Amino acid sequence: GENVEQHPSTLSVQEGDSAVIKCTYSDSASNYFPWYKQELGKGPQLIIDIRSNVGEKKDQRIAVTLNKTAKHFSLHITETQPEDSAVYFCAASREDSSYKLIFGSGTRLLVRP
Amino acid sequence: DGGITQSPKYLFRKEGQNVTLSCEQNLNHDAMYWYRQDPGQGLRLIYYSQIVNDFQKGDIAEGYSVSREKKESFPLTVTSAQKNPTAFYLCASRPGPGELFFGEGSRLTVL
């Protein structure tokens, strides 16, 4: 079945450095790729998403890149801050009537002050 | 304020008991979802509903049941047939293509 692999499972960076999280998906028909941030004891919140008709999208310190040929997409966080510490999930889906988001296993990001 | 409300936030259950987790949304979204979250495994889809009075099994539906009698409500029952029910359960909704909105979650512990 469909699968999304996410790496690394944990990531520790110094405040101000960049963080990169990578995902690979198996369903070549996937065309929607969101990233969610989950703080402790809370539900995930969307931070950025990308559709298959573009290769990159930026929102302030956050960017996502997509390589459809390789079925890879990545989250880039620049100038990290302690409040960026959380668990990040990537996901992939087809945006059709059978919509089902397939999530990666998550990356725990720790930003050291 | 619009949003998704899950209750209870924490729930303890004895083995052999059924429990029902509540999920209510006032976002006027047609589609609603239940996910289960275990450490290191991401979120796995239990059931989803695209419209009132209709729902489909997700990837791990065994031992769970749902109903969708009202647009605003999508309760999940964890039955005694679920062999390992201790987990964090997340309800979500979506108006159409795009963002999934999540509730704050319910943590179920089987004693």
Side-chain angles (χ1 to χ4, degrees), chain A residues 32 36 38 41-46 49 51 87 89 94-106, chain B residues 9 33 35 37 40-43 45 48 50 57-59 88 90 94 97-105 107:
Chain A
Y32 175 63
Y36 284 83
Q38 185 178 28
K42 296 194 173 182
Q45 285 194 307
L46 181 75
D49 57 12
R51 287 177 170 82
V87 179
F89 291 97
R94 308 180 188 188
E95 281 200 299
D96 57 17
S97 59
S98 67
Y99 175 89
K100 287 198 301 179
L101 264 182
I102 307 298
F103 283 86
S105 55
Chain B
K9 193 168 179 66
Y33 304 80
Y35 285 89
Q37 185 173 21
Q41 293 193 44
L43 282 70
L45 184 63
Y48 63 106
Q50 306 274 49
K57 293 182 179 181
D59 300 316
F88 190 52
L90 286 159
R94 175 174 180 259
E99 183 177 357
L100 205 58
F101 292 81
F102 284 90
E104 295 281 274
R107 185 167 298 280

Side-chain angles (χ1 to χ4, degrees), chain B residues 27-83:
Chain B
L27 300 168
N28 200 34
H29 291 173
D30 285 318
M32 297 187 73
Y33 304 80
W34 274 104
Y35 285 89
R36 170 178 171 143
Q37 185 173 21
D38 295 284
Q41 293 193 44
L43 282 70
R44 293 182 290 168
L45 184 63
I46 304 172
Y47 268 98
Y48 63 106
S49 168
Q50 306 274 49
I51 198 168
V52 175
N53 292 323
D54 187 48
F55 48 83
Q56 287 81 40
K57 293 182 179 181
D59 300 316
I60 56 166
E62 185 175 352
Y64 300 97
S65 66
V66 293
S67 63
R68 187 84 187 278
E69 297 176 0
K70 299 187 299 181
K71 187 175 186 178
E72 303 80 17
S73 179
F74 192 41
L76 173 74
T77 296
V78 184
T79 75
S80 56
Q82 169 49 235
K83 298 305 179 191

Side-chain angles (χ1 to χ4, degrees), chain A residues 24-67:
Chain A
T24 304
Y25 61 98
S26 61
D27 182 3
S28 56
S30 295
N31 54 10
Y32 175 63
F33 307 93
W35 285 88
Y36 284 83
K37 176 183 180 181
Q38 185 178 28
E39 297 179 347
L40 192 63
K42 296 194 173 182
Q45 285 194 307
L46 181 75
I47 55 170
I48 195 167
D49 57 12
I50 191 169
R51 287 177 170 82
S52 58
N53 57 342
V54 297
E56 184 175 2
K57 185 176 179 181
K58 279 187 177 181
D59 183 3
Q60 299 182 357
R61 297 186 297 108
I62 294 173
V64 57
T65 59
L66 172 65
N67 182 331

